[in-house]
Amino acid sequence: DAGVTQSPTHLIKTRGQQVTLRCSPISGHKSVSWYQQVLGQGPQFIFQYYEKEERGRGNFPDRFSARQFPNYSSELNVNALLLGDSALYLCASSLADSLYEQYFGPGTRLTVT
Amino acid sequence: GIQVEQSPPDLILQEGANSTLRCNFSDSVNNLQWFHQNPWGQLINLFYIPSGTKQNGRLSATTVATERYSLLYISSSQTTDSGVYFCAVNRDDKIIFGKGTRLHILP
């Protein structure tokens, strides 16, 4: 079975623009979570979705939003990009409604100039 | 919020050596996980260990929840063990990662 997939792999945007990142979970997994990893730091939890509902949210501004589709894939949207949004964005999926035993995708590296 | 501290921040070892990585957390947690991030950025779940000891090949982990720490042991290190090891704790529908231990295994 395919693992968690994310697109695009790399992305360069300008300050003030908007970006959409995409994630497809492992087949059968109903929970998707998003993380931001700034260089040299551990991942920071942004959102968790289960069965298309938001189940958890980290300390991120309202510029960050997400949704989960009926096929359990997910999108992360970031509006009004700042230089500080430059990071590796990781998506993870799990079977149950939890943040346990997650499987991570390869990430999308976002650079804001 | 909960603080997660990992030590040491960096570790350089010769191939074949053993190592112990530590994770301290500041409050009670629902769960604790260890991850390995390889040099290409891929994050792999190593252990899901709220308490007790688990072993998987050359790796083992012990969590003492009452004393708020966990240890990851790597025996007979190989160059493929290089990367960053993260500890992450779960609490109140959130997950908090430490800053990681960067491990370099020299051939």
Side-chain angles (χ1 to χ4, degrees):
Chain A
D1 280 341
V4 177
T5 59
Q6 293 186 242
S7 63
T9 306
H10 295 87
L11 201 52
I12 300 175
K13 290 285 190 178
T14 304
R15 273 179 301 176
Q17 287 187 315
Q18 175 265 342
V19 68
T20 298
L21 311 181
R22 295 176 176 82
C23 172
S24 292
I26 291 172
S27 178
H29 284 195
K30 298 182 179 180
S31 174
V32 170
S33 301
W34 287 96
Y35 298 82
Q36 180 195 66
Q37 187 177 18
V38 174
L39 197 62
Q41 302 291 317
Q44 278 195 283
F45 171 66
I46 308 175
F47 289 110
Q48 185 214 353
Y49 277 77
Y50 179 76
E51 290 281 14
K52 302 179 289 297
E53 290 190 3
E54 183 182 303
R55 307 294 277 183
R57 173 186 283 253
N59 296 326
F60 279 81
D62 292 343
R63 298 185 297 108
F64 289 77
S65 63
R67 55 180 174 168
Q68 186 177 32
F69 298 98
N71 67 354
Y72 303 110
S73 68
S74 178
E75 287 182 351
L76 175 70
N77 294 286
V78 186
N79 294 323
L81 285 167
L82 304 174
L83 294 180
D85 295 331
S86 295
L88 179 67
Y89 288 84
L90 295 164
C91 170
S93 76
S94 59
L95 269 173
D97 179 14
S98 77
L99 297 173
Y100 308 162
E101 298 189 273
Q102 297 177 89
Y103 294 83
F104 281 80
T108 293
R109 185 161 299 281
L110 172 66
T111 302
V112 182
T113 62
Chain B
I2 294 179
Q3 304 299 312
V4 180
E5 294 184 358
Q6 292 187 243
S7 60
D10 293 280
L11 192 55
I12 301 175
L13 296 173
Q14 207 70 39
E15 197 169 27
N18 301 329
S19 59
T20 301
L21 282 55
R22 187 177 181 102
C23 172
N24 292 332
F25 44 99
S26 62
D27 204 345
S28 61
V29 297
N30 301 118
N31 204 349
L32 185 142
Q33 301 174 77
W34 283 97
F35 294 88
H36 175 224
Q37 189 167 40
N38 66 24
W40 297 270
Q42 182 69 50
L43 206 60
I44 304 294
N45 192 313
L46 298 175
F47 292 104
Y48 159 77
I49 184 167
S51 63
T53 297
K54 290 187 177 180
Q55 181 155 6
N56 184 2
R58 296 181 296 103
L59 273 60
S60 64
T62 296
T63 296
V64 184
T66 53
E67 298 186 23
R68 299 180 186 162
Y69 75 90
S70 183
L71 301 173
L72 178 68
Y73 306 96
I74 305 173
S75 64
S76 304
S77 299
Q78 300 176 358
T79 55
T80 52
D81 295 330
S82 295
V84 184
Y85 290 81
F86 290 103
C87 162
V89 300
N90 296 86
R91 168 85 177 258
D92 298 334
D93 297 328
K94 290 185 173 59
I95 180 169
I96 301 112
F97 282 75
K99 292 186 176 180
T101 291
R102 185 172 297 275
L103 179 63
H104 301 270
I105 304 297
L106 304 175

